[in-house]
Amino acid sequence: MSDLAFVLEAFRFLRPLWLLLIPLVLLLWWSVRRADRRKPMLAEAIAPHLREALTVGRRGRRRLAPVDSVALMLVLAAIGAAGPTWSRQPDPFAAQSAPAVVVLEVTDSMEASDVAPTRLERGKQKIRDFLDLRAGARTALVAYAGTAHAVLPMTEDPQVMVPYLEGLSPQVMPREGARAAEALQLAQSLLASEASTGGILFVSDGIDAADVAALNASPQPVAVLAMLPEGTRDRGIDSLSVPVVTVTADAGDVRQLDALLNAAYRRARLEESEQPWDDRAHWLAWPAALILLLWFRRGWTMRWAVLAALALLPGAEGARAEGIADWFLTPDQQGRLAYEKRDYERAAELFTDPLWRGYALYKDGQYKAAIEVLDRVETAQAAMVQGIAQIKSQSYRDGVRAFETALARDPDYPGAAENLATAKRIVSYIETLQEGSDTGEDTGIGADEEVYDNESGSGEETERPATAGAAMLTADQWMTTVDSRTDEFLRLRFALEASQPAPPQEGTEP
């Protein structure tokens, strides 16, 4: 579904009674226009050529009059007061893109160089572009050849996926082949644990005909990025009924795929009655302001209309005179604009709502400030973000307490129980290291080393040399960090997984 079609489907008014003013405005406009029409002078009273020369204003009757701009401005104000909207306000604690599983074909055919530099390398580049476009949405990575493997489970940190993505090559895959149906089944299992509707993106240069039916019948949205040069066809890809996008030199293919996978997610978001609608009334303030410029012309002095328009303009009561944007947008609306541009520092300065301000500080990496601001909000959402901020600032036990608070406020809050369990595993892991560490009087801690909290007093403070510029890992990835090369690690892991016996199918004896 295109963006325009989606907007038209979701469009509605929050305060439709204000639209009743439009017929009244049009009636007043028609009355003024009708009264402006002058009766023609009697032909017998004066000669026709003299009458034409002495008549003033006849040629200008059809021109734009002050009442026309007044009527248009009042109509815009009435529509704005009615509250047009076509989307709900974004949840600051939920990703704005659908969860997705990227499935990459890693076969010998993907090393063909007809798509520079190779089909596989270009596919990896497109996946990185896809991750950047989704701005922190939950994404997993699956690789397949003769077997399918979950390279990385769902994560919100795209930087974590990059080294694993770079380590993929046909040499790390344990078996030759191209079992797309097996990869689809694995991707579906990863999406099954997600709370919202997700999608699956295949990056492939061909689909086996035996796997076409499985992809066409998938209950989750599936899209395919065909890594084929222009003019090259594949029988399996041509037989698919799911959307197929051919790789392009620019980012147009990635944007199209993201829109396709997000369509079902955005529709599901519209049905979330807990999230308020996003009032777009302020959009109509700009054309109304442009019409006001006509009032600098001589003769356009219907001042009562200006007062009426200002009374109807949405958000006028909250405007401040600190800048032009303050005439039309509240501080929180300006903060939203900065937030959507990913200027989180500016957004934190603009937001007055503590929930949004705290989340903007968190996104900007100001974890301690975010925790302090969110103390003002006694909701499960606020406690959830506090917990994540505590984890990222390495205050793991405080993170445990924050997740426990979130569950106390809302036992069913999505992800709170899982994050609490992960935080407890981290604390237990650290305490185990501390209990097994050597204690000594002469052990020093350098200025460039990180020390994890040792609230329990178990063993020596656990040290880990800090790595300048290293990306922050999520909890599960921090616990499973490996020191070996990524490609070698993946090769060994995939070989081990391929050697395991397949789980018994339903209805059969193990």
Side-chain angles (χ1 to χ4, degrees), residues 118-258:
T118 65
R119 297 179 182 180
L120 182 59
E121 290 304 317
R122 176 63 68 86
K124 293 178 181 180
Q125 292 172 8
K126 291 297 181 179
I127 292 173
R128 289 195 295 269
D129 294 341
F130 184 70
L131 294 174
D132 293 340
L133 181 64
R134 289 162 52 77
R138 291 178 62 78
T139 311
L141 178 62
V142 170
Y144 76 97
T147 54
H149 305 272
V151 180
L152 203 66
M154 287 290 181
T155 177
E156 297 177 0
D157 189 350
Q159 296 304 318
V160 174
M161 189 176 293
V162 172
Y164 290 91
L165 185 65
E166 294 300 327
L168 290 174
S169 67
Q171 290 71 35
V172 307
M173 305 306 293
R175 298 174 190 167
E176 294 183 356
R179 301 200 174 196
E182 184 177 334
L184 175 67
Q185 185 177 4
L186 181 56
Q188 290 172 338
S189 66
L190 292 172
L191 283 177
S193 60
E194 295 299 301
S196 55
T197 304
I200 301 171
L201 171 61
F202 272 81
V203 181
S204 170
D205 63 354
I207 301 295
D208 192 283
D211 297 327
V212 169
L215 268 69
N216 289 340
S218 173
Q220 293 93 351
V222 174
V224 176
L225 177 60
M227 303 304 301
L228 296 171
E230 187 176 357
T232 304
R233 309 297 294 270
D234 176 77
R235 176 187 171 190
I237 289 180
D238 292 342
S239 303
L240 292 173
S241 61
V242 301
V244 176
V245 177
T246 303
V247 63
T248 61
D250 58 11
D253 50 358
V254 176
R255 289 193 295 266
Q256 184 178 353
L257 289 166
D258 183 59

Side-chain angles (χ1 to χ4, degrees), residues 357-399:
R357 183 165 176 260
Y359 192 67
L361 288 168
Y362 162 76
K363 294 288 284 186
D364 192 47
Q366 303 181 49
Y367 303 126
K368 291 184 178 180
I371 294 168
E372 293 177 1
V373 171
L374 290 170
D375 275 336
R376 299 172 176 266
V377 185
E378 297 182 357
T379 65
Q381 287 181 333
M384 186 75 168
V385 176
Q386 283 182 310
I388 299 174
Q390 296 282 14
I391 292 294
K392 291 199 171 185
S393 61
Q394 300 175 359
S395 300
Y396 301 112
R397 291 180 181 82
D398 289 335

Side-chain angles (χ1 to χ4, degrees), residues 90-127:
D91 186 347
F93 310 111
Q96 301 310 307
S97 295
V101 179
V102 179
V103 182
L104 176 63
E105 179 185 349
V106 187
T107 60
D108 291 335
S109 65
M110 287 286 285
E111 293 198 311
S113 58
D114 50 4
V115 177
T118 65
R119 297 179 182 180
L120 182 59
E121 290 304 317
R122 176 63 68 86
K124 293 178 181 180
Q125 292 172 8
K126 291 297 181 179
I127 292 173

Side-chain angles (χ1 to χ4, degrees), residues 311-493:
L312 289 175
L313 280 177
E317 69 279 0
R320 296 175 294 141
E322 296 179 3
I324 295 178
D326 297 315
W327 298 352
F328 305 105
L329 303 176
T330 66
D332 283 336
Q333 289 171 336
Q334 295 178 52
R336 274 282 309 283
L337 293 177
Y339 180 87
E340 291 172 357
K341 294 178 181 178
R342 303 183 187 179
D343 188 356
Y344 302 121
E345 183 178 4
R346 175 64 176 163
E349 295 175 357
L350 291 169
F351 277 128
T352 58
D353 185 300
L355 193 63
W356 275 97
R357 183 165 176 260
Y359 192 67
L361 288 168
Y362 162 76
K363 294 288 284 186
D364 192 47
Q366 303 181 49
Y367 303 126
K368 291 184 178 180
I371 294 168
E372 293 177 1
V373 171
L374 290 170
D375 275 336
R376 299 172 176 266
V377 185
E378 297 182 357
T379 65
Q381 287 181 333
M384 186 75 168
V385 176
Q386 283 182 310
I388 299 174
Q390 296 282 14
I391 292 294
K392 291 199 171 185
S393 61
Q394 300 175 359
S395 300
Y396 301 112
R397 291 180 181 82
D398 289 335
V400 169
R401 298 186 187 101
F403 294 135
E404 289 174 343
T405 301
L407 287 172
R409 293 172 178 174
D410 183 358
D412 299 324
Y413 191 82
E418 292 81 357
N419 282 336
L420 175 59
T422 299
K424 286 183 176 179
R425 288 201 304 270
I426 294 176
V427 171
S428 176
Y429 178 78
I430 292 173
E431 288 181 349
T432 301
L433 290 179
Q434 290 166 347
E435 290 174 356
S437 62
D438 294 331
T439 57
E441 298 294 333
D442 56 346
T443 300
I445 299 174
D448 294 331
E449 294 173 336
E450 298 175 7
V451 180
Y452 298 112
D453 55 349
N454 188 12
E455 185 175 296
S456 64
S458 302
E460 186 184 6
E461 297 285 1
T462 302
E463 306 170 17
R464 181 172 66 89
T467 303
M472 173 65 69
L473 302 181
T474 62
D476 283 334
Q477 288 131 13
W478 179 83
M479 294 178 66
T480 57
T481 300
V482 295
D483 295 328
S484 59
R485 289 177 52 190
T486 307
D487 54 351
E488 182 66 15
F489 166 71
L490 291 175
R491 186 184 67 81
L492 294 174
R493 203 188 87 188

